[in-house]
Amino acid sequence: MLPTVTDARTCVARTAHVAGVNEQSGRCGGCGEGTSTRGRFRLYSPNMDVVRAMPLLTVTDLEATLEKYVQVTGMEVVMDHGWIATLAPSGDSSAQLSLITTDPTGPVNPSASIEVDDVDAAYRAAVDADLEIVYEITDEEWGVRRFFFRDAGGNVVNVLSHM
């Protein structure tokens, strides 16, 4: 079955097509380009961009763990809310790592965070993809709008935008 216009998908050429993929060749039916290294389409919203993505590691003692990560990696703390802190190389926010004790509002700790410029579009895409929504879209008191989804491997991902 071919995707509908409301379920546009993109090939590696980042062109939205509704022509489907050739199952034998793994090529896009719209332009003939490969769909990915695994021959799969991915949902794509032309109106939404990923701002950053980072892993989240659950820890029991945030302060002590931060101290060791700074000592070993030379990264600096760029955000610290007391329950979550983010490390990045000095002057370079492109590589980040967050350490989390317990998420104060979510039902579980996510294993990754993806910041997007349109969290509502990401939420609709997650629902359309039949992903399990673990934490409904919410405006948080610390200035983000976010939701969690669980992927097929059981990973919980926090998707957010700053308000």
Side-chain angles (χ1 to χ4, degrees), residues 52-54 56 83-84 100 103 108-116 119 135 140 142 144-150 155-161:
R52 65 185 170 143
M54 76 187 82
L56 277 84
W83 56 273
I84 187 171
I100 183 172
D103 191 292
V108 297
N109 282 352
S111 56
S113 281
I114 301 173
E115 182 179 353
V116 295
V119 71
Y135 183 61
E140 302 289 8
W142 56 89
V144 299
R145 182 168 171 80
R146 69 181 185 152
F147 70 95
F148 297 178
F149 71 83
R150 186 182 322 274
N155 301 296
V156 175
V157 178
N158 172 37
V159 182
L160 69 119
S161 289

Side-chain angles (χ1 to χ4, degrees), residues 1-9 16-19 43-46 128:
M1 179 172 164
L2 296 178
T4 64
V5 173
T6 58
D7 188 27
R9 298 180 186 259
H17 295 294
V18 294
L43 288 173
Y44 173 69
S45 169
D128 290 346

Side-chain angles (χ1 to χ4, degrees), residues 85-157:
T86 300
L87 296 155
S90 181
D92 178 12
S93 63
S94 65
Q96 296 185 347
L97 171 69
S98 287
L99 306 173
I100 183 172
T101 55
T102 302
D103 191 292
T105 58
V108 297
N109 282 352
S111 56
S113 281
I114 301 173
E115 182 179 353
V116 295
D117 65 352
D118 187 346
V119 71
D120 293 294
Y123 179 81
R124 287 188 302 274
V127 170
D128 290 346
D130 292 324
L131 290 168
E132 176 189 353
I133 303 301
V134 176
Y135 183 61
E136 287 294 330
I137 196 159
T138 304
D139 293 340
E140 302 289 8
E141 65 182 33
W142 56 89
V144 299
R145 182 168 171 80
R146 69 181 185 152
F147 70 95
F148 297 178
F149 71 83
R150 186 182 322 274
D151 69 17
N155 301 296
V156 175
V157 178

